């Protein structure tokens, strides 16, 4: 395995450097091929209501949370595909915006405790956070001045694909915080979204669970698994495109705004680790750092791969035993009428059925899931400096994703209804739940998963025959466009404008300002 590590520069944006960084952020959004977002929230309210069986009731609970809570930080990751490169190479610019709602809002102790444990600086937020007001415009048009609502308007005007991970709550908070009051009904909300983001909304939680069909789909697991598979394909000389990422070189004063995030390669692991089953399935454990079992995502992925291979072999043996090794083969279908005794003995592994694939996965849908505070995660590493001159404009320094490494120690974890799993006996595999929490790095991981999934689609691994025919016209994932993951549901939320629904009045007024015409 390669010893080098990917280093992701995350630019910290605060109220005192917003004007300075504004032109670069706007250009990054306008020139991006797609934009990935992530949020840190002050809380979500009643978790049970967020998992209501009725999607309309669930939406009402989300609206209540978005109106009464706030966004503490916003991660923006702009992926620009470089057409002059042989591989699928993206120039990536990552921003972490610290925000401060100017109105009263609820902040939940559970969220505060988690964020403080993972390095979130509330003193910094209250001293330097970018102020904003929620709901409809409070003063003037959003396209004037340098503020977060104007930046959101620039995102809308750019008409780029929007990429989120388990993004229903994120996008509802974005709408309420930077756009307008949330409409009362879900159908109106989805109608508005379909016009706000004409290039489509993509949810990598849906992609990883329903298309890539990973064993687990919480953010860190999905990112590391995609990164590992991509690196293996590169080092093995696999045919077809692979994901490579490059970053801008930040020097001078700009370097003081950048948090360099080192992403170590996946460490090889031999044997059977004492894995926490809860964390393995959901990326979240109620015992946190006190859990005696391993929360190491690298070990979890490698052990899942080993278990997956063993399960396939077991299913193959079971099918062969059921069929009987001496069963007669229809020679005419294989050798055009060759005598049966001339047919060589062959052990053909039957194609996996949908039931086989489901059997391979852990039953994560048996318990409804929802992000804990919008993003509960763990971060890694000390800051690393990258030497180099420059003024912050993109003098690209390549950090290619072509080594067998796997990135990211941050975990976007999934909070579920409190159901106790019987834990194995006490063992010695301790994990580290330390580091700095960054919405920006989560946005980077989300964008990477999307870029990797797009390659798998083009390789023919995802989508139907009809969808594959669209590949020349649609560069992204036509099978996943405008499908937002719903926790505990077998089908996604379709972001479309129904013939029976209308756009909200506030949205129509906003669209006149954003696009210069009515929606």
């Amino acid at each position: 395995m390669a010893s080098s590590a990917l280093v992701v520069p995350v630019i910290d944006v605060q109220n005192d450097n917003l004007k300075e960084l504004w032109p670069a952020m706007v250009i990054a959004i306008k020139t991006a091929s797609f934009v990935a977002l992530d949020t840190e929230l002050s809380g979500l309210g009643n978790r049970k209501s967020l998992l209501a069986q009725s999607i309309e009731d669930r939406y009402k609970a989300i609206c209540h949370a978005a109106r009464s809570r706030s966004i503490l930080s916003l991660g923006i990751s702009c992926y620009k595909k470089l057409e002059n490169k042989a591989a699928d190479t993206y120039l990536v610019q990552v921003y972490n915006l610290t925000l401060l709602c100017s109105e009263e809002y609820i902040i939940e102790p559970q969220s505060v405790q988690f964020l403080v444990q993972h390095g979130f600086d509330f003193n910094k937020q209250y001293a330097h956070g970018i102020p904003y007001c929620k709901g409809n415009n409070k003063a003037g048009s959003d396209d004037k001045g340098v503020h977060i609502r104007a930046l959101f308007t620039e995102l809308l005007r750019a008409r780029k694909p929007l990429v989120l991970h388990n993004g229903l709550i994120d996008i509802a908070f974005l709408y309420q915080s930077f756009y307008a009051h949330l409409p009362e009904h879900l159908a109106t909300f989805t109608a508005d979204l379909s016009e706000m983001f004409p290039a489509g909304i993509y949810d990598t939680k849906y992609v990883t669970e329903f298309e890539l069909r990973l064993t687990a789909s919480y953010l860190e697991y999905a990112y590391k698994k995609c990164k590992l598979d991509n690196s293996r394909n590169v080092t093995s000389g696999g045919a077809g495109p692979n994901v490579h990422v490059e970053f801008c070189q930040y020097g001078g004063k700009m370097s003081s705004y950048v948090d360099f995030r080192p992403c170590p390669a996946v460490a090889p692991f031999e044997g059977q680790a004492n894995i926490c089953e809860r964390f393995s399935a959901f990326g979240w454990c109620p015992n946190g750092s006190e859990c005696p079992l391993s929360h190491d995502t690298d070990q979890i992925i490698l052990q899942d791969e080993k278990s997956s291979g063993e399960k396939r072999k077991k299913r193959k043996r079971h099918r062969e035993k059921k069929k009987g090794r001496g069963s007669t083969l229809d020679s005419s279908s294989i050798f055009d009428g060759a005598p049966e005794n001339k047919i060589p003995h062959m052990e053909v592994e039957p194609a996996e059925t949908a039931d086989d694939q489901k059997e391979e996965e852990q039953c994560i849908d048996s318990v409804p899931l929802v992000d804990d505070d919008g993003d509960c995660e763990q971060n890694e590493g000390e800051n690393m400096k990258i030497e180099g001159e420059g003024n912050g404009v993109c003098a690209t320094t390549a950090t290619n994703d072509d080594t067998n490494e796997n990135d990211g120690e941050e975990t976007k974890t999934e909070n579920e209804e409190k159901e106790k799993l019987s834990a194995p006996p006490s063992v010695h595999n301790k994990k580290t739940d330390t580091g700095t929490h960054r919405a920006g790095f989560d946005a980077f991981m989300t964008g990477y998963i999307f870029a990797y999934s797009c390659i798998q689609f083009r390789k023919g691994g995802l989508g139907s025959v009809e969808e594959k025919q669209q590949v020349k016209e649609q560069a992204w994932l036509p099978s996943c466009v405008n499908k937002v993951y719903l926790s505990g549901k077998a089908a996604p939320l379709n972001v479309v404008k129904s013939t029976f629904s209308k756009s909200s009045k506030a949205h129509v007024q906003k669209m006149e300002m954003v696009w210069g015409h009515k929606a």
Side-chain angles (χ1 to χ4, degrees):
M1 285 194 179
S3 58
S4 60
L6 183 69
V7 179
V8 180
V10 180
I11 303 173
D12 277 320
V13 185
Q14 306 167 27
N15 196 39
D16 51 6
N17 66 1
L18 177 62
K19 287 185 178 180
E20 180 182 353
L21 296 174
W22 179 269
M25 285 193 293
V26 172
I27 291 174
I29 291 172
K30 287 182 176 180
T31 59
S33 301
F34 63 85
V35 178
L37 299 184
D38 191 85
T39 64
E40 300 285 359
L41 309 176
S42 70
L44 283 178
N46 189 303
R47 303 302 198 268
K48 190 172 182 180
S49 299
L50 295 169
L51 299 169
Q53 190 68 23
S54 165
I55 303 303
E56 191 68 40
D57 290 344
R58 192 179 294 195
Y59 172 71
K60 290 179 181 178
I62 293 173
C63 286
H64 176 72
R67 291 163 181 160
S68 57
R69 276 77 174 169
S70 72
I71 299 177
L72 303 180
S73 64
L74 171 65
I76 303 176
S77 188
C78 302
Y79 277 70
K80 178 183 179 180
K81 191 172 182 180
L82 302 178
E83 300 297 340
N84 59 336
K85 302 283 185 174
D88 272 37
T89 303
Y90 291 89
L91 175 65
V92 185
Q93 298 181 66
V94 185
Y95 297 92
N96 190 87
L97 288 77
T98 301
L99 307 179
L100 182 62
C101 183
S102 300
E103 303 165 331
E104 290 185 357
Y105 62 90
I106 295 172
I107 184 164
E108 298 174 9
Q110 180 183 3
S111 298
V112 173
Q113 184 180 32
F114 177 86
L115 291 170
V116 169
Q117 287 174 348
H118 293 85
F120 189 90
D121 190 342
F122 280 93
N123 288 331
K124 174 182 172 182
Q125 186 213 6
Y126 282 97
H128 303 290
I130 302 168
Y132 73 93
C133 294
K134 296 189 291 185
N136 297 328
N137 293 356
K138 296 296 188 296
S141 299
D142 285 357
D143 61 344
K144 297 178 180 178
V146 176
H147 48 82
I148 188 63
R149 293 174 69 93
L151 187 66
F152 190 72
T153 299
E154 293 292 346
L155 176 64
L156 298 179
R157 286 175 173 159
R159 299 177 185 242
K160 304 298 182 181
L162 178 66
V163 184
L164 307 159
H165 187 85
N166 207 0
L168 179 57
I169 292 174
D170 289 303
I171 202 164
F173 267 79
L174 292 169
Y175 188 110
Q176 177 68 28
S177 299
F178 311 138
Y179 190 65
H181 286 306
L182 282 163
E184 295 299 320
H185 300 289
L186 179 60
T188 308
F189 178 58
T190 56
D192 290 356
L193 291 179
S194 67
E195 294 173 342
M196 292 166 64
F197 299 98
I201 297 173
Y202 296 86
D203 191 330
T204 55
K205 174 78 172 174
Y206 173 81
V207 174
T208 54
E209 191 152 317
F210 287 87
E211 296 290 343
L212 293 180
R213 303 188 70 81
L214 301 186
T215 303
S217 56
Y218 52 91
L219 184 60
E220 182 187 23
Y221 185 103
Y223 166 68
K224 283 192 169 186
K225 175 61 175 168
C226 291
K227 180 68 166 60
L228 181 60
D229 288 347
N230 184 77
S231 299
R232 284 170 173 165
N233 195 52
V234 172
T235 55
S236 65
N242 298 281
V243 176
H244 301 264
V245 292
E246 296 180 0
F247 303 100
C248 295
Q249 179 177 315
Y250 301 103
K253 186 178 179 181
M254 276 292 296
S255 62
S256 64
Y257 303 146
V258 181
D259 177 15
F260 294 99
R261 315 291 306 167
C263 307
V266 167
F269 176 75
E270 298 294 337
Q272 196 80 3
N274 295 296
I275 299 293
C276 173
E277 293 182 21
R278 162 108 31 190
F279 191 91
S280 175
F282 304 108
W284 176 84
C285 172
N287 297 322
S289 60
E290 300 301 317
C291 179
L293 304 176
S294 175
H295 289 184
D296 188 294
T297 313
D298 294 354
Q299 291 183 358
I300 292 170
I301 290 173
L302 296 175
Q303 189 156 300
D304 280 350
E305 289 182 340
K306 181 179 178 182
S307 299
S308 177
E310 291 173 350
K311 286 179 181 178
R312 285 195 180 98
K313 291 178 182 179
K314 185 176 179 181
R315 287 199 303 272
K316 178 183 176 182
R317 289 194 298 268
H318 176 74
R319 287 192 293 262
E320 288 175 342
K321 184 177 179 181
K322 191 174 180 181
K323 285 181 65 176
R325 291 186 181 273
S327 58
T328 304
L329 294 176
D330 182 2
S331 59
S332 62
S333 63
I334 303 176
F335 292 110
D336 295 326
E340 183 175 321
N341 60 2
K342 295 295 184 182
I343 299 175
H345 174 68
M346 296 184 297
E347 290 188 17
V348 181
E349 181 173 355
E352 284 192 336
T353 65
D355 290 338
D356 290 334
Q357 291 176 327
K358 289 179 181 177
E359 180 184 335
E360 181 181 327
E361 295 181 356
Q362 298 185 34
C363 298
I364 60 176
D365 278 340
S366 60
V367 181
L369 303 179
V370 68
D371 283 348
D372 186 17
D373 64 348
D375 325 87
C376 293
E377 44 216 290
Q378 60 191 74
N379 270 333
E380 88 286 317
E382 300 176 359
N383 293 347
M384 293 179 61
K385 297 289 184 181
I386 294 181
E387 296 181 359
E389 297 301 322
N391 57 3
V393 181
C394 294
T396 62
T397 173
T399 309
N400 285 333
D401 197 24
D402 56 2
T403 56
N404 193 7
E405 65 195 32
N406 196 280
D407 320 0
E409 296 287 331
E410 291 193 277
T411 311
K412 180 166 198 171
T413 60
E414 321 243 356
N415 182 26
E416 48 173 331
E417 286 290 86
K418 298 195 183 294
E419 171 201 25
K420 293 186 178 179
L421 291 175
S422 54
S426 177
V427 290
H428 307 292
N429 244 332
K430 279 284 185 180
K431 84 291 301 157
T432 56
D433 287 340
T434 59
T436 305
H437 198 35
R438 284 291 182 273
F441 192 83
D442 286 358
F444 166 76
M445 290 195 289
T446 300
Y448 186 94
I449 295 169
F450 181 70
Y452 174 82
S453 301
C454 291
I455 284 179
Q456 298 311 301
F457 176 82
R458 296 210 308 278
K459 286 181 178 179
L462 304 178
S464 65
V465 175
E466 292 77 12
E467 288 162 347
K468 289 183 178 68
Q469 292 174 352
Q470 302 176 32
V471 71
K472 292 183 179 179
E473 300 175 3
Q474 168 60 268
W476 311 118
L477 290 171
S479 61
C480 301
V481 64
N482 289 335
K483 294 180 180 178
V484 176
Y485 181 82
L486 290 174
S487 300
K489 298 292 185 181
L493 172 68
N494 290 311
V495 180
V496 296
K497 184 174 183 179
S498 166
T499 54
F500 303 103
S501 63
K502 295 181 179 180
S503 301
S504 67
K505 185 176 180 180
H507 163 71
V508 172
Q509 293 173 346
K510 292 284 292 193
M511 284 292 97
E512 290 181 15
M513 182 272 293
V514 173
W515 304 120
H517 59 79
K518 292 185 178 181

